[in-house]
Amino acid sequence: MPNPTLPRIFLLLLMGLMVIPMTTSPAAESDLSKRRATLDQLRRILPPSAPWEAWLEKTGELPPDFDAMPSTPGLPDPLVRRVNGKIVPVRTKAEWKERQEELRALFQQWVIGSVPPTPDNLEAEVLSEREEGGATVRQVRLRFGPGQKATLRVELMIPKGNGPFPVFVTQHNHRGWALIALRRGYLGCVYAGADSQDDTDTFAAAYPDYDWSRLTRRGWAASRCVDYLLTEPKADPKRIALTGHSRNGKSSLIASALDDRFAAVISSSSGAGGTMPARYYAEPHSGEGIEMLTRSFPEWFHPRLRFFVGREDKLPVDMHELVALTAPRPLLLAIALNDGVESAWAMQQTYRAAKPVYEMLGAEENLRILWRPGGHETSPTVIERYLDWCDTHFGRGNYEFPERFVSPMGAPTGERAGRTENGPRLRPLEEAKSVGAWEERRAALRNVIDDMLGDAPPVAANPGGTYGREAAHVAALLGRGDPGAGVEKEQVVFGEYINADVYLPAGLKASGRKAPAVLWLHPFSYAGGYVAPYRRGEHVFRALARQGFVVLTFDQIGFGRRIEEGESFYRRHPRWSLLGKMVRDSRAALDAMERLPYVDSAQMWGAGYSLGSLVGLHLGALDDRLAGFVSVSGPPPLGDLRLANADLRMEGSRRPGGSAADPYSSSLRSDWEEQISVLLPRLAGSERDRPPYDLSDLLAGFAPRPVLVISPQLDWRAPSERVKAQVEEARKAYDLHNAAGKLEQQSPETYNQFGPEMQAQVIEWLKRQGDRPR
C-alpha cells in the first residue's frame, strides 16, 4: 500500500503556499490584504455556515491568492505534471505512479484533509462468532493507532469451504448488499463507517494532528478492514472489492484513491464530491455545488474547499482525478438516470477525462459507467450487477458492460453531424441606421439562426390535449407531484407529444380573470428537468405562481423525463440540432400557452437560467410573441468559445497557448464549450473567424421588447464584462426604437447561482414590466 501521507511541509511547498519571509515585505502585506478582502467577500455573498466560521476563527486561514492561480475552466488533465516549472505529459506507468502521489497530495490539501500513515499495531478482538445458514458470522473490534485509541467494528460473513474467497467490503448500512455477495460466494466484510454506525470519531481522537474530514476517515476505515483481512486465511488478498452508495460511494472512492489494495471498486451514485466534477456539477446544472455541499455537510470534506465557491475554475484538482487515482484497477461508475444527486452529462465527462489514464495503462476495459433507471434508490437487481462487475474482473464470470453514452452532451463526434461551412451572413449591426434597416437585418438574423439550427424536419400544428399526460408516479420521481401551497397545477400535452406542467395562482381559473404568464426554461438539469434537485429557496415556478403569474414549463429533450430521448438524436436527425429541437418545442409551448383561457396572451414572458437562457434568447429572436425575456447567467459571447475539434479529450489534444506560468491553460474545454459544441454542431464546425451571430445579435433581435440580462460579477463561465460588451452592442438596436432603457443588465456581487435573492430580482422586474404602458 502506498503511504498516502506526505510531510506537511511538502504539501505546502507543492502548492507554492508556504512563504517564510524574514520580514513582512510590502508585497507580502499586499498579498495578505488581498486574501482578507476575498474572505470578506465570501462572507458577504455566501449563506452563513457556523462550522466554517468556527474553523476560520480557530485556524486563521485565508483563501489562497486566486489571482496567482491558473484558471482552468475545463477539467484539469490528470496526465499532465509540473516538473521544475514545466508541463510534462505522463506517458508511462512509472510516471503515473509519481503523478498519483502529486494528486493525492493535492486532494489532501484542498478537498479531503491529511491522513496518517498505515498503523503498524493493529489488533483484532473477536467479540462473537457463530455458524448461520452455511456461513460463519464473526463480529470483530479492531484497535490501532497511538495507544490503540482508534477502534473499528467489523463483521465478516464467511462462506463454508476452504477458500480463499473473494471479498466484498461495504459499510454498515449496506449489510444487505453483503448478504447478496455471500450468496454468490464472496466473503462479506461490513464495517462501521456509515451514518447508521460510525466508529471513525475514535480516529480523530487518536490522531489529533491530522485535519482529515469525516468521509476521509470512513474511507481510511475501509483500509483497516484490508489490514485485518490479510490475516484471515479464507480471504483472497488479491480479490478485494469495495463499494458504497451515495456518501458511502464518496468515501469508497477516497479509500481506493489512497489504497491500491482494493482490486475492484464500485462507486454507486456518489454525486458531488464523488464522481461529479465541481466544474461541471454546480448551480447552473442544478447540482449540489461546493456552497451547498460544504454548508449542508460541513464535516464531509475539508473546510478549505469552501473557499472555491464560485471559483471552481481555480480548484487545483477535480473529482475526475479522484476517479483516475483508482487506475488501472477496475472501477464501475454507477448512476441512475433521474437521480437528483448526479448528472448523466457530468458523469460522461468524468468518464471521458479519466479514461485516457486507463488507456495509457493498458486497462481500457476496467472503467465503465453502469446506467440504471429511476432515482437514488437501489435494489437487489442493481447489486447483482455490481457483483457481475466483480465476477468479471476476478475471473469468476464474463458479463457484458458495454460503453454507452446516454446524453449526447459529450458523446464522441461520430454521433454528431450536419455541419456546414456556407450559409447566410449578417451585416454589422451599426450599418442599420433606421428602424426599417433594422427590420431587414432582423429578417436576415432569423435566416442565419435557422441555418445554424440545422435542417429542420417537417412539423404540423398540435391543437393540444390531455392524452399522454405525465403519470403520477413519474411526477413523484421527478419531485413535481405537489404544486405547493397557494398554487394549482394543470397538465397539457403540446407539440410533438410533450407534456407541460402549468402552475397558476390558486383560484385564478375559477375567477375567469386573465393573468400574465411566464415560460420557464430550465438550466442544465439532466436528472430533474425543470425541477432543480438542488437549490436555495423554493422552485422558481412556484415562486412566480405565488406572485400572480401563470407558469408553463416542461423538460427539454435530453433532460428529466426525456433524458433518453436525446441519446440517439443525431442518428435520427443528422442535419438538425438539439438546440433546434429545443427551440421548436419552446415555440410549441407558446402555442399551448396562448390557448389557456386564463392567460393574457399579450403578456407572455420568458425566463431562463443557464441552458434556459440560451434557448430563450434564440426563441425570442425568432418569435415576437414573447413580450420580453429574463436571461439569468446565460452563455458567454459565442465568439469567446473554442468550439472546433469537438473531440479534444478523446484525441488527447490540449488547449492552445499553455505555458509554464499557466499550466492548465492547456486544459480541456469549459462546460459551455462542451455543451454548445453538441447543441449547435454547425456553429462548432464553422471555420469562420467569428460565429455567424453572437449574443449581441440575439439580444438585438428582441428590440424593442424588454430584456433583463443578469450576469453575476463572479461568473467565470460568462464574465460579466464580456457580457456587458454584448449588451452595449445590442443597445444600438434599442436606440433606433428610442427604447434603450428596455435593455437592462444587472451584475450583482455573487457567483453563478439562482437563489431566492436573484429570484426576487426577476419577479420584481417582471412585475414592473406589467405596470408599463404599452
Side-chain angles (χ1 to χ4, degrees), residues 396-640:
R396 305 176 80 239
N398 186 19
Y399 298 91
E400 293 295 322
F401 287 87
E403 185 177 68
R404 178 190 178 195
F405 293 110
V406 166
S407 171
M409 310 292 187
T413 49
E415 301 292 321
R416 305 193 288 268
R419 299 178 178 177
T420 180
E421 301 310 321
N422 299 314
R425 292 176 179 266
L426 277 178
R427 297 173 64 183
L429 184 57
E430 56 266 19
E431 291 185 13
K433 302 295 186 181
S434 66
V435 172
W438 174 84
E439 289 286 359
E440 291 178 4
R441 188 183 189 278
R442 186 168 72 160
L445 171 64
R446 289 177 172 178
N447 288 334
V448 171
I449 293 173
D450 283 338
D451 178 70
M452 296 309 296
L453 292 179
D455 300 342
V459 64
N462 182 350
T466 58
Y467 182 77
R469 288 182 298 183
E470 188 169 84
H473 72 277
V474 176
L477 168 66
L478 297 172
R480 53 207 194 200
D482 180 11
V487 178
E488 297 175 2
K489 175 184 171 184
E490 290 195 329
Q491 291 181 297
V492 296
V493 178
F494 71 96
E496 295 167 340
Y497 198 50
I498 302 166
N499 180 86
D501 289 335
V502 182
Y503 295 86
L504 58 152
L508 174 65
K509 186 176 180 181
S511 73
R513 294 183 292 107
K514 292 181 181 289
V518 175
L519 175 63
W520 167 243
L521 300 167
H522 64 73
F524 289 107
S525 178
Y526 285 89
Y530 79 78
V531 175
Y534 289 98
R535 68 194 185 282
R536 281 195 307 115
E538 68 178 339
H539 291 291
V540 63
F541 52 86
R542 287 180 184 153
L544 286 163
R546 288 200 180 100
Q547 293 296 320
F549 293 92
V550 175
V551 182
L552 187 146
T553 187
F554 65 97
D555 294 345
Q556 297 285 3
I557 182 172
F559 296 84
R561 183 187 180 191
R562 303 172 65 192
I563 190 166
E564 290 182 285
E565 184 185 336
E567 182 173 0
S568 298
F569 177 84
Y570 284 112
R571 290 195 188 101
R572 296 163 180 153
H573 303 289
R575 297 193 62 79
W576 202 16
S577 70
L578 276 165
L579 185 59
K581 171 61 172 164
M582 292 174 181
V583 172
R584 172 182 285 191
D585 291 346
S586 298
R587 299 185 81 169
L590 290 180
D591 296 340
M593 185 182 284
E594 279 187 308
R595 290 192 293 266
L596 295 174
Y598 41 81
V599 164
D600 180 352
S601 60
Q603 290 203 60
M604 297 195 307
W605 302 83
Y609 174 38
S610 185
L611 168 66
S613 171
L614 179 71
V615 175
L617 289 171
H618 282 80
L619 172 66
L622 293 171
D623 198 317
D624 291 335
R625 290 177 295 173
L626 272 188
F629 188 67
V630 181
S631 167
V632 180
S633 295
L638 302 182
D640 290 356

Side-chain angles (χ1 to χ4, degrees), residues 290-310:
I290 293 175
E291 191 288 308
M292 182 171 288
L293 181 67
T294 56
R295 174 170 49 86
S296 301
F297 304 102
E299 290 188 309
W300 282 8
F301 297 98
H302 197 285
R304 216 171 272 129
L305 181 60
R306 192 167 173 82
F307 288 143
F308 292 89
V309 175

Side-chain angles (χ1 to χ4, degrees), residues 43 119 132 216 247 333 384 464 500 503 558 581 616 624 663 699 721:
R43 283 171 157 158
E132 186 178 304
T216 305
R247 62 198 66 180
L333 309 174
E384 295 282 9
Y503 295 86
K581 171 61 172 164
D624 291 335
L699 291 168
E721 287 303 310

Side-chain angles (χ1 to χ4, degrees), residues 91-139:
R91 293 194 175 99
T92 68
K93 293 180 180 179
E95 290 172 346
W96 173 242
K97 286 292 184 183
E98 295 178 7
R99 178 62 173 152
Q100 280 182 307
E101 289 303 313
E102 293 174 357
L103 289 173
R104 287 173 180 138
L106 289 169
F107 271 103
Q108 289 183 58
Q109 176 70 17
W110 297 113
V111 183
I112 67 174
S114 57
V115 296
T118 301
D120 57 5
N121 62 342
L122 183 140
E123 293 184 0
E125 175 189 1
V126 177
L127 303 176
S128 68
E129 186 169 303
R130 65 186 186 277
E131 300 299 316
E132 186 178 304
T136 300
V137 180
R138 180 189 303 163
Q139 304 287 343

